[in-house]
Amino acid sequence: LAEGSNDADFLFGDVAKRRHLVSITLNNLGCMERRRGRLAVAVQYLRQAIDYDDSPSSSAGVRMNLATILIQLGQRAEAVGCC
């Protein structure tokens, strides 16, 4: 953290940072659900992650994860469209 700031400023001060952190968390939950075999739930988490932070640098990995699961579900056309 920068000098003079505290953890509360980092977590609660900047809306963009909060949205990015929520997106990362949702992506992680989606990956966890994929490993558990709950693909439909994983898709929901990953779509929420994209809704929270759709910046190219943040959503590229999420979109790849989503495409991978959609292919597993046999939804190839939608997988291509999400990337």
Side-chain angles (χ1 to χ4, degrees):
L1 294 173
E3 189 174 326
S5 66
N6 61 40
D7 290 340
D9 289 339
F10 175 76
L11 293 175
F12 304 111
D14 185 355
V15 173
K17 285 181 185 175
R18 284 199 316 264
R19 293 185 76 77
H20 180 71
L21 292 173
V22 169
S23 178
I24 290 170
T25 302
L26 290 166
N27 180 56
N28 290 341
L29 288 169
C31 291
M32 180 189 71
E33 292 298 344
R34 177 181 177 222
R35 283 186 224 109
R36 293 174 71 192
R38 297 175 46 173
L39 300 182
V41 175
V43 167
Q44 290 175 351
Y45 279 127
L46 294 171
R47 286 189 172 141
Q48 288 177 5
I50 292 169
D51 288 343
Y52 268 90
D53 187 0
D54 196 21
S55 64
S57 62
S58 297
S59 68
V62 178
R63 289 178 183 280
M64 184 178 293
N65 292 335
L66 179 58
T68 301
I69 295 170
L70 291 172
I71 288 170
Q72 286 182 293
L73 291 170
Q75 300 174 10
R76 285 172 172 70
E78 189 175 349
V80 169
C82 81
C83 291

